Amino acid sequence: MVTASVIAIILLLILGTVAFIYWRIRRGLKRTFGQVGLSHMIKAADLNSQLTPKSVSGGDAIFLPRILKDYPQFNVNLAKNVVENNIRQLYGAGHFADVKVHRTTISNYQKHYGSSVIKFQTAFQYSSDRTVQEKAETTYTFRVKDKEGASNAALRCGYCGAPVARLGNKSCTYCGNEVILDMEQAWDITDVNIVN
């Protein structure tokens, strides 16, 4: 049977250990702030934020096979070049100089009736009075235009006039005839936003 004195000794040892650990932590913090200085730590953090590129959501392995299934002619490297050149133009044309792109990846892909949307994320930096690291999300949209240039024109079967359910259908779901699009199709950048 454990006596009260043994319990008291165990409690004293536990309290002593906790007090010692607390004392060592406090002593270490005082020494750190005393030697380095808070302003030096802030400057180091600011320099680190200037030198470290932002991370991007890399979904190429997930989304690219789906995109290529829907659009076999899609060239991902060409699309990334278009996105990166757009970033360089947006940020290099104004007050900023030395726009450097670190990485561009696909972050999302959605297919809609009449259009499809690929989201790209790009990590880049530019210089103003200091180096700034940013991340942009570019919306790259596949649009169908009729001969007059109207975007997202209604897709209809040329034989029966039924609506085409979605882009990429090879045959009409109503009459079974081959779907031939007498329209222009193109990928365009429709939006660019800075994201965190």
Side-chain angles (χ1 to χ4, degrees):
M1 183 166 200
V2 180
T3 64
S5 61
V6 172
I7 293 174
I9 290 171
I10 292 172
L11 286 174
L12 283 174
L13 286 172
I14 292 171
L15 286 173
T17 303
V18 169
F20 178 75
I21 291 170
Y22 177 76
W23 174 76
R24 290 291 293 182
I25 290 171
R26 293 278 302 184
R27 185 170 170 226
L29 286 176
K30 285 181 183 175
R31 187 176 291 161
T32 299
F33 282 109
Q35 290 175 351
V36 176
L38 186 57
S39 65
H40 181 69
M41 291 174 66
I42 292 171
K43 286 179 185 175
D46 184 50
L47 180 62
N48 188 40
S49 73
Q50 291 182 47
L51 298 176
T52 307
K54 301 245 179 168
S55 62
V56 291
S57 302
D60 287 23
I62 297 168
F63 298 113
L64 188 56
R66 289 175 42 199
I67 295 167
L68 291 176
K69 180 181 175 195
D70 295 335
Y71 303 98
Q73 306 301 323
F74 182 76
N75 184 332
V76 69
N77 293 325
L78 178 64
K80 287 181 179 183
N81 284 337
V82 168
V83 167
E84 291 173 1
N85 286 335
N86 188 61
I87 295 288
R88 286 185 189 97
Q89 286 177 350
L90 284 173
Y91 288 89
H95 323 309
F96 311 122
D98 303 325
V99 176
K100 179 182 176 186
V101 174
H102 299 294
R103 184 173 181 221
T104 298
T105 62
I106 300 169
S107 63
N108 199 354
Y109 170 63
Q110 294 179 344
K111 190 169 183 181
H112 307 287
Y113 174 77
S115 69
S116 294
V117 175
I118 301 173
K119 299 275 187 173
F120 287 97
Q121 285 188 357
T122 304
F124 68 100
Q125 71 183 41
Y126 61 86
S127 300
S128 54
D129 56 338
R130 64 188 197 105
T131 302
V132 178
Q133 300 288 341
E134 290 287 5
K135 177 170 63 171
E137 184 173 75
T138 301
T139 304
Y140 201 58
T141 305
F142 182 81
R143 296 174 180 239
V144 175
K145 299 177 182 179
D146 64 15
K147 294 199 179 216
E148 286 77 40
S151 294
N152 296 332
L155 301 178
R156 301 210 171 269
C157 173
Y159 296 96
C160 71
V164 175
R166 64 182 189 80
L167 287 174
N169 280 4
K170 303 285 187 238
S171 61
C172 176
T173 54
Y174 295 97
C175 70
N177 285 311
E178 181 182 5
V179 173
I180 299 171
L181 295 177
D182 188 21
M183 300 179 177
E184 294 179 15
Q185 304 172 21
W187 288 97
D188 293 320
I189 292 175
T190 54
D191 196 20
V192 179
N193 292 308
I194 296 298
V195 293
N196 293 326

